[in-house]
Amino acid sequence: MSDGGSAFTRRTHTCGELRLEHVGQRVTLNGWVHTTRDHSHFVFGDLRDRYGLTQVFFGDGDAKLLADAQSLRPEDVVAVSGVVRARPAENVNAERPTGQVELAADRLEILNRSRTPPFSIRDDATVSEEVRLKYRYLDLRRPQMQRNLLFRHQFMQAIRNDFTRQGFVEVETPFLTKATPEGAREYFVPSRLYPGHCYALPQSPQIFKQLLMVAGYDKYFQIARCMRDEDLRADRQPEFTQLDLEMSFPDEELIFATVESAIAHAIETATGAKVPRPFRRITWGESMLRYGCDKPDLRNALQIEDVSAEAKGSDFKIFRGAVDAGGVLRALRVPGGEALSRKEIEGLEGRAKELGAKGLAWSKIDASGKPVGGVAKGLEDAAGKALLAKLGAAPGDLLLFVADRLKVACAALAEVRRQLGERFGGVKKGTLELCWVVEFPLFEYDEDEKAWKAAHHPFTTPIEQYPGQIVKEPGAVAARAYDLVMNGWELGSGSIRIHDRALQQRVFEAVGLSEEAAQRKFGFMLEAFEYGAPPHGGIGIGLDRLIALLLEAENIREVIAFPKTATATCLMTGAPTLADERAMRDLKIRFELPPAP
RNA sequence: GGGGGUGUAGCUCAGCUGGUUUAGAGCGCCAGCCUGUCACGUUGGAGGUCGUGGGUUCAAGUCCCAUCACCCUCGCCA
């Protein structure tokens, strides 16, 4: 058979495989030249593939072989054949699994030369992310990245296995679908057959999975790609992977138990760590009060306290003023916090101010239990004493206060608490704390549009205190919505859905969606719900984030093979590119671009 | 859309208050030497649009303005 000259000796083993037990065997390795050490009369080479490194010895009198070996450069691709031999005892490399042996080469096939790579393929190479992304295929050769992607694969496999074991069916849903104007901005795909019409790429498979429930697939899951045309962050990419699932006839407990099983199984399979179950539960209200946010890091023992009632009787202007203006006074007691310097406290105050706080008041508690420094004077009156008592202030404490609007006070103290977590809150790297945050509000007030809108999505079941509450006081209605949170990161979000057509209509009305508009946007779904929609609910969990957290990566780009930059470009391919004129003609699209500078 | 940071050799960086040479270092690269290295060692060498454009100045890597790229972040992400 003609092979175009590309015949080569196929490997018998990988570069991570050879041990003393192979000594004496004739083997062939295929791989990349990692390094060479040229000693003139002989050459050592390290051959690399994704399984490991094996030392190859060239020499032993064959001049042609030696010359070829001397010509080898990093990242050349070769096939090397020879006999495995034990290294002399003094030359064993104990740091490598293959370090007991080496391959005494008698044949070297250079399969492909490499240009000098822009950086060396090693974990300890310091390379800017920009360069790494441009040469992503080289970056992915680094052992760390190979470990990351392998870990990701194992994690995904374990999830699929556990859902399959639990009787779930993985169903693929369309990429080319109908735009749903609520929620995240969508990517559009123009239709050639229907000029002026567009498909949208799904921001999530939400509607399809609910229709699968109507279709009777009572346990659905999918490892699904989602696309959102929003601005990016370290933990957000324009396309990302969700573990999406939906169940019929559920309650929260069934969904929690199902998800906990799969997530715990996957974490245990991929990391070997034991994940305690059930996960902790905390209501949204409690979380906002104690931790100032809806994604608490429960490893952190520090807790926020509301001392607005005490502030009311205070003579201290900063405390009292905020409460009189309809705001709150919230405090964070930091045991041992007296060790913080003035400068460190100012650093925290800087962060608090970035988040909109007017300031960060503080006082330390001295050995006799008296407040000293900062706003200590404001704590001397009766109200101050009551406040200290409520906080349980003890010698060595640092007390931090934010007097502000509720939202600002929460955000500022949440950030301060987060920053102090490792030093004073007992947060340890490498530990996991998963929890469910439950009973989210159903609606949020949109200040810009002066209207209530769905906090999760408009298919979420309300928990009405009395009939009609969603119209009379929408802000007070809780929802059967829940978030999965790990170490202070939101992993996923879900709810028990509305399956009743009339209730769905009332919720649409509450968010200002008329019958007509609802029909236009979701008519096919509402119609489906008239054919026997079972009660159902589910969740979507961001897998990139979860995997990044487990690998202690700073950034989800570290666990995505070909990620985009913070400005949604691909440095390797150059995407996005200017539209091709002819393709645009086919699509009957013309762009109006601002004039070039 | 706003704020902050970075940009000098292939890579990672230094370059002070504008003037010390022809803008440096380590790694990498190229060439020589080296019979047990494993981040091999050693000798020598090549390599620069100081992100880009404009301005100030006798003189700009350095100061000013604009712009681009990347990173972080606020808004945004039902």
Side-chain angles (χ1 to χ4, degrees):
Chain A
M1 185 174 87
S2 169
D3 53 37
S6 64
F8 66 96
T9 309
R10 218 169 54 193
R11 65 186 170 193
T12 58
H13 296 77
T14 69
C15 297
E17 209 174 340
L18 298 179
R19 299 287 186 277
L20 280 175
E21 71 200 70
H22 299 97
V23 166
Q25 288 184 27
R26 184 169 177 77
V27 305
T28 298
L29 299 180
N30 298 155
W32 286 262
V33 173
H34 188 62
T35 57
T36 56
R37 294 174 290 280
D38 182 354
H39 290 250
S40 187
H41 297 281
F42 58 92
V43 174
F44 291 108
D46 288 334
L47 201 59
R48 189 196 66 239
D49 60 19
R50 73 179 174 89
Y51 307 93
L53 279 176
T54 299
Q55 176 163 286
V56 182
F57 179 91
F58 300 94
D60 295 342
D62 182 336
K64 169 78 165 64
L65 180 69
L66 184 62
D68 283 351
Q70 283 170 327
S71 78
L72 290 175
R73 293 292 178 271
E75 307 312 315
D76 287 346
V77 181
V78 297
V80 182
S81 305
V83 175
V84 180
R85 71 185 183 197
R87 299 198 197 182
E90 66 272 22
N91 292 320
V92 164
N93 185 340
E95 281 168 25
R96 272 186 205 167
T98 61
Q100 300 271 344
V101 297
E102 66 192 7
L103 175 58
D106 55 36
R107 182 174 158 82
L108 168 63
E109 298 160 59
I110 298 169
L111 307 180
N112 212 346
R113 297 280 190 185
S114 171
R115 288 170 60 181
T116 302
F119 52 87
S120 60
I121 309 304
R122 307 150 46 111
D123 283 341
D124 57 4
T126 56
V127 193
S128 72
E129 199 176 3
E130 210 171 336
V131 175
R132 290 175 56 202
L133 290 178
K134 180 170 178 192
Y135 300 97
R136 189 56 156 183
Y137 43 86
L138 296 180
D139 189 40
L140 292 175
R141 272 186 204 163
R142 291 166 51 231
Q144 180 62 58
M145 291 307 291
Q146 298 200 334
R147 279 195 294 276
N148 288 1
L149 293 190
L150 183 69
F151 180 94
R152 185 180 174 120
H153 163 73
Q154 287 164 339
F155 192 86
M156 299 285 187
Q157 273 316 108
I159 283 192
R160 285 202 162 95
N161 287 343
D162 198 72
F163 275 116
T164 302
R165 184 189 61 77
Q166 295 194 68
F168 277 70
V169 181
E170 183 163 17
V171 181
E172 292 164 278
T173 53
F175 270 28
L176 298 175
T177 182
K178 183 179 171 176
T180 50
E182 328 300 300
R185 193 179 298 125
E186 294 165 311
Y187 283 97
F188 284 99
V189 180
S191 160
R192 176 180 57 84
L193 297 175
Y194 303 94
H197 295 61
C198 284
Y199 302 96
L201 299 178
Q203 45 169 314
S204 92
Q206 183 62 36
I207 289 173
F208 288 101
K209 70 174 172 178
Q210 292 193 240
L211 294 177
L212 283 168
M213 293 304 106
V214 179
Y217 296 82
D218 62 333
K219 297 175 178 181
Y220 145 89
F221 86 107
Q222 184 182 187
I223 292 180
R225 197 69 65 83
C226 306
M227 294 76 159
R228 295 182 185 174
D229 188 6
E230 296 289 349
D231 285 353
L232 308 176
R233 290 285 189 285
D235 61 350
R236 296 196 324 228
Q237 281 276 305
E239 53 181 310
F240 60 98
T241 303
Q242 264 196 4
L243 164 60
D244 192 50
L245 77 104
E246 196 77 6
M247 302 178 78
S248 294
F249 313 111
D251 56 14
E252 283 85 342
E253 291 307 319
L254 179 64
I255 288 170
F256 293 173
T258 303
V259 171
E260 288 179 12
S261 165
I263 295 290
H265 172 72
I267 292 176
E268 286 169 6
T269 302
T271 69
K274 188 85 185 122
V275 180
R277 281 193 274 160
F279 301 168
R280 288 166 67 180
R281 316 276 168 83
I282 179 171
T283 64
W284 178 84
E286 180 79 359
S287 182
M288 292 304 291
L289 176 66
R290 292 292 165 201
Y291 309 112
C293 66
D294 59 7
K295 44 181 179 179
D297 185 347
L298 293 184
R299 298 173 304 171
N300 185 343
L302 301 178
Q303 291 201 359
I304 297 164
E305 189 80 47
D306 182 83
V307 283
S308 303
E310 286 73 14
K312 258 190 199 131
S314 173
D315 299 329
F316 190 51
K317 223 173 79 185
I318 294 174
F319 290 176
R320 171 115 182 239
V323 177
D324 284 350
V328 296
L329 177 64
R330 295 231 161 143
L332 186 70
R333 183 172 83 88
V334 186
E338 67 168 359
L340 280 172
S341 69
R342 190 70 177 260
K343 205 174 163 186
E344 287 169 317
I345 295 173
E346 276 169 14
L348 293 173
E349 179 167 34
R351 278 296 290 156
K353 283 181 169 171
E354 279 174 37
L355 294 166
K358 286 186 276 296
L360 181 68
W362 63 274
S363 177
K364 292 177 179 177
I365 305 297
D366 71 11
S368 66
K370 278 181 49 188
V372 289
V375 297
K377 258 191 291 178
L379 295 166
E380 281 167 1
D381 58 10
K385 292 204 167 69
L387 192 158
L388 291 174
K390 179 153 189 194
L391 292 177
D397 285 356
L398 169 69
L399 308 179
L400 296 164
F401 301 92
V402 176
D404 223 304
R405 301 198 323 271
L406 174 64
K407 230 176 143 175
V408 171
C410 284
L413 281 177
E415 174 61 16
V416 168
R417 173 178 177 273
R418 199 185 64 76
Q419 293 218 357
L420 296 173
E422 243 178 86
R423 197 157 153 204
F424 299 102
V427 172
K428 283 197 196 67
K429 283 209 162 110
T431 56
L432 298 179
E433 185 68 56
L434 286 130
C435 70
W436 294 102
V437 179
V438 300
E439 293 174 28
F440 271 72
L442 185 66
F443 301 117
E444 275 170 354
Y445 193 68
D446 186 327
E447 298 285 349
D448 293 335
E449 314 228 333
K450 304 283 176 224
W452 291 97
K453 61 176 208 179
H456 179 56
H457 59 53
F459 316 117
T460 303
T461 308
I463 310 175
E464 279 183 300
Q465 306 299 312
Y466 56 86
Q469 191 190 18
I470 57 172
V471 179
K472 289 201 180 93
E473 38 171 1
V477 182
R480 293 184 71 181
Y482 35 81
D483 275 7
L484 178 62
V485 172
M486 182 162 89
N487 294 2
W489 286 36
E490 181 198 319
L491 291 182
S493 196
S495 64
I496 303 296
R497 327 296 183 189
I498 299 170
H499 61 278
D500 178 77
R501 182 70 175 76
L503 177 59
Q504 184 66 72
Q505 191 57 46
R506 286 196 289 129
V507 170
F508 280 157
E509 275 164 26
V511 296
L513 204 59
S514 67
E515 169 77 40
E516 189 229 6
Q519 276 300 334
R520 196 171 60 244
K521 290 174 180 173
F522 307 115
F524 62 100
M525 184 182 185
L526 297 175
E527 185 182 10
F529 276 26
E530 290 170 2
Y531 289 96
H536 60 284
I539 190 169
I541 295 172
L543 290 178
D544 309 286
R545 254 183 222 187
L546 175 51
I547 291 163
L549 263 173
L550 293 172
L551 289 170
E552 296 184 334
E554 293 294 313
N555 195 303
I556 63 170
R557 291 186 295 270
E558 299 299 315
V559 301
I560 295 173
F562 298 102
K564 297 200 172 45
T565 66
T567 43
T569 64
C570 172
L571 294 180
M572 190 180 69
T573 62
T577 52
L578 276 174
D580 177 75
E581 289 283 344
R582 219 184 75 188
M584 290 303 106
R585 265 206 306 279
D586 281 352
L587 294 167
K588 306 225 175 358
I589 287 177
R590 198 175 303 143
F591 287 103
E592 277 183 44
L593 298 174

